[in-house]
Amino acid sequence: MEMRSTPILQVDNLHKYFPIPRHVGDVLARRPRRSVRAVDGVSFTVQRGEILALVGESGSGKTTVGMNVLGLQQPTEGHILFDGYDVTEWSRGHGASLEAADRFLVPLSRRRRVMTLRERAQMIFQDPYESLNPRQTIFDIVAEPLDIHRLTPSRTERRERVRTALETCGLAPADHFWDRFPAELSGGQRQRVVIAGALVLEPELLVADEPVSMLDVSIRAEILNLLRALRRERGITILYTTHDLATAGFFTDRMAVMYLGRIVELGPTVEVLSQPRHPYTRALISVVPVPNPRRRRQRVILEGEIPNPIDIPPGCRFHPRCPEAIPACREMDPRLHPVAPGHDVACLRV
Amino acid sequence: MNAVKQFVRNPMGVVGAGMLLVVILIALLAPWLAPYDPQVRVQVTPDDILAPPDAEHLLGRDDAGKDVLSQLIYGARVSLIVGFTASFMSMFIGTTVGLVAGFYGGRVGNWLMRLVDFLMVIPDLPLMLVIIAVTGRGLTNIILVIGLLGWTYTARLVRSQVLSVKERQFVLRARSLGASAPRIILRHIFPQVVPLVIAQAVLDISVAILAESSLAFLGLGDPTLISWGMMLNFAFERAISRQAWWFLLPPGLAIVWVSLSLILIGNTLDQIVNPRLRTHHLFDARRMVALAVGVPPLAKADGAGE
Ligand SMILES: Nc1ncnc2c1ncn2[C@@H]1O[C@H](COP(=O)(O)OP(=O)(O)OP(=O)(O)O)[C@@H](O)[C@H]1O
Ligand SMILES: [Mg+2]
């Protein structure tokens, strides 16, 4: 891995707040505006060809990070650099989000730059039952990215590219599948179609948002192997989002553990799993089932639920559930700091 | 395929389709089916005026001595033409407005929906009467007025559907691929609302037919064409006092027949594409029996258990 070249993705201090609509009563009572702090200051870097796992419980803000990386939402604060270009800068200060760029409301030059991002970075969505248009054939679904980016001059070439994409994703022979509708395929097959639709543009970055969480356990390994093969054979960079430590450990290089919109620990996957430093990471790892019963570990059962991202606790946001909290944790909001080379933790006690 | 099967399995829909088919065939074959040409002036004797049915004139004669059955047969043409074209117009306008208002939202969407609310609040028939009285009674004007005032419900229906479809993940996927707004609307959103729109359009046909009949009944039909509403108008003015039921009843029943057929078809389509309707209490056979008998369904069961 060349560490010296420009990272393909740099996320710098990303914040994404969703304002909560106020009722008349709130306005009259002069209650302050509140918002859901889905992502609350996240920074990380992904090198070319790397697979980074973003791990966290439901509601920790993983999908929101992915959507902002792809410009599907406008960050409240912070920057996202794709291949060194500030994607957020295209929209900020011009009164138009990237979303608006989809709608012809911005000058052509900016739209063209947005389209470059749309071509070079692709997203795989969580739910394969929802991410395919039920009224399009598999062929049309996989060919649509080519049409949008006007990438194929001839019909034969178009067919061949769709065929290659489908067969790369294990849907061979392609002719057997491409006249069908999504409803005629199984969940695993659909997720392969989704991946084929992303691959047909030969992207450099793939944001895979819990690509296997809706699939049967037996199919998960196949899909993850496919992603791993894509990195090996094409050098595709993957941002892999999951709430499942086991699948993250299976094929990722580095791991970022998220809690309530923040990264609490970031480091090489093997190191984070074998020597977790943050109490939250340790709690997560302790409840992953271990195949060997004699190696049973001490389980850390966290008390309470993950708090609501509207009312984030003061100080360290994890302290109300933390088994190792000290009084200072209630006041000090810990920053992410290095504890070993390439291994950062946000905890006052380490 | 599946939708067709569901439709065929529903007796209401099949009966409605059969009833409509009869009317369409009559309208198409009018010149061959009608025993007389209703537009031709006839020489009449005083006996012929409002003559009751006999072997030559199965439905008797009107106040000008013309054959009622022939008028009825030709009247089907006017009703169907007005019904289909006006509802097609409403469908087109309503779908376009609904798609734009739902997809773009914001200021454009709000203003469009305010226009819809405004049009919905105004009672249709008086407005149509005024417009037709001002613009003239030609068939084209009638179709335009009905079509241009009848799209509001479709627009609302489409908009609410678009609001939910546009949040679905495959639309997000299209956006993340860089699809343009027209492409997203036409390829990804429109196909999901088509079934709903068609079901609504069928119901709109009957509304348009009733509107034309009402206008004609009130004396604002196209004077060059015979329509059922106009027959009713003449019958009301001239035949009631003479108790010439054969002139009054047939056009009234024809209107009921065709509206009923369309409502049966439309409701069946609606049930298929819009599953929420399936739980409507009128479609629940068990409860309908209970309603008819006037006994709550559980009361009987309790009585049997004691
Ligand atoms: N459009 C939105 N409007 C309001 N709140 C939102 C929106 N999108 C996400 N949120 C909130 O932000 C928080 C983070 O959501 P996000 O979907 O990013 O979590 P996640 O880690 O992907 O969770 P999951 O595992 O359930 O997918 C949640 O509390 C969610 O309710
Ligand atoms: Mg998610």
Side-chain angles (χ1 to χ4, degrees), chain A residues 44-45 99 189 207 231 234 243 245 248 278 280 282 304 345:
Chain A
F44 61 90
T45 298
E99 215 172 298
Q189 288 172 327
V207 176
R231 190 269 293 272
R234 306 188 179 195
H243 59 257
L245 276 173
H278 196 283
Y280 178 62
R282 264 183 258 156
V345 175

Side-chain angles (χ1 to χ4, degrees), chain A residues 57-64 126 209-210 241 243:
Chain A
E57 285 172 281
S58 182
S60 55
K62 308 177 298 282
T63 300
T64 308
Q126 187 164 359
D209 184 22
E210 306 208 33
T241 287
H243 59 257

Side-chain angles (χ1 to χ4, degrees), chain B residues 73-111:
Chain B
I73 289 174
Y74 273 91
R77 296 188 147 187
V78 178
S79 286
L80 291 188
I81 287 175
V82 171
F84 277 88
T85 43
S87 95
F88 187 80
M89 273 178 62
S90 311
M91 177 173 85
F92 185 80
I93 301 172
T95 307
T96 311
V97 170
L99 282 173
V100 170
F103 184 77
Y104 288 94
R107 216 176 299 159
V108 183
N110 279 341
W111 279 109

Side-chain angles (χ1 to χ4, degrees), chain B residues 7-299:
Chain B
F7 189 92
V8 172
R9 223 178 286 143
N10 190 319
M12 270 191 356
V14 175
V15 169
M19 287 166 69
L20 183 66
L21 195 66
V22 170
V23 182
I24 290 175
L25 285 177
I26 289 176
L28 287 175
L29 302 175
W32 293 277
L33 287 177
Y36 302 90
D37 182 345
Q39 299 280 17
V40 173
R41 264 174 209 289
V42 286
Q43 283 292 337
V44 287
T45 64
D47 278 350
D48 292 338
I49 289 175
L50 290 173
D54 58 26
E56 269 173 58
H57 300 280
L58 291 175
L59 290 177
R61 301 201 197 193
D62 73 356
D63 56 312
K66 291 190 218 167
D67 183 44
V68 171
L69 178 63
S70 304
Q71 295 183 30
L72 193 70
I73 289 174
Y74 273 91
R77 296 188 147 187
V78 178
S79 286
L80 291 188
I81 287 175
V82 171
F84 277 88
T85 43
S87 95
F88 187 80
M89 273 178 62
S90 311
M91 177 173 85
F92 185 80
I93 301 172
T95 307
T96 311
V97 170
L99 282 173
V100 170
F103 184 77
Y104 288 94
R107 216 176 299 159
V108 183
N110 279 341
W111 279 109
L112 282 174
M113 288 329 280
R114 234 166 262 175
L115 175 70
V116 168
D117 290 340
F118 179 71
L119 285 176
M120 275 186 136
V121 171
I122 303 177
D124 278 348
L125 195 60
L127 186 61
M128 286 181 192
L129 283 174
V130 172
I131 296 175
I132 292 292
V134 173
T135 59
R137 300 155 58 187
L139 186 67
T140 323
N141 280 352
I142 292 172
I143 291 174
L144 282 175
V145 166
I146 298 175
L148 289 176
L149 290 177
W151 52 269
T152 48
Y153 190 77
T154 309
R156 281 206 151 181
L157 192 74
V158 170
R159 174 177 169 271
S160 70
Q161 185 75 2
V162 170
L163 285 180
S164 79
V165 172
K166 82 170 180 181
E167 299 300 329
R168 290 182 61 181
Q169 236 175 49
F170 60 84
V171 174
L172 195 63
R173 172 175 176 267
R175 271 183 45 207
S176 81
L177 286 168
S180 63
R183 180 185 201 79
I184 292 176
I185 293 175
L186 292 177
R187 297 265 173 118
H188 297 282
I189 296 180
F190 179 62
Q192 325 295 326
V193 303
V194 164
L196 217 61
V197 166
I198 290 177
Q200 183 56 35
V202 172
L203 293 172
D204 278 348
I205 298 174
S206 77
V207 173
I209 289 175
L210 286 174
E212 188 277 335
S213 301
S214 312
L215 286 174
F217 176 70
L218 295 170
L220 290 172
D222 187 330
T224 64
L225 295 165
I226 297 156
S227 78
W228 294 337
M230 200 177 301
M231 289 170 74
L232 277 179
N233 177 20
F234 289 146
F236 243 77
E237 279 178 14
R238 298 162 205 169
I240 276 202
S241 54
R242 312 260 300 260
Q243 288 168 350
W245 55 267
W246 55 89
F247 189 21
L248 188 63
L249 225 45
L253 290 179
I255 292 170
V256 172
W257 175 278
V258 75
S259 326
L260 187 62
S261 74
L262 289 161
I263 289 169
L264 287 176
I265 299 173
N267 277 343
T268 307
L269 290 176
D270 223 26
Q271 278 181 64
I272 294 171
V273 299
N274 196 356
R276 262 174 305 170
L277 254 190
R278 284 179 199 160
T279 58
H280 193 286
H281 67 277
L282 286 182
F283 295 119
D284 186 337
R286 196 167 32 88
R287 282 225 217 145
M288 244 157 78
V289 171
L291 277 177
V293 178
V295 182
L298 287 178

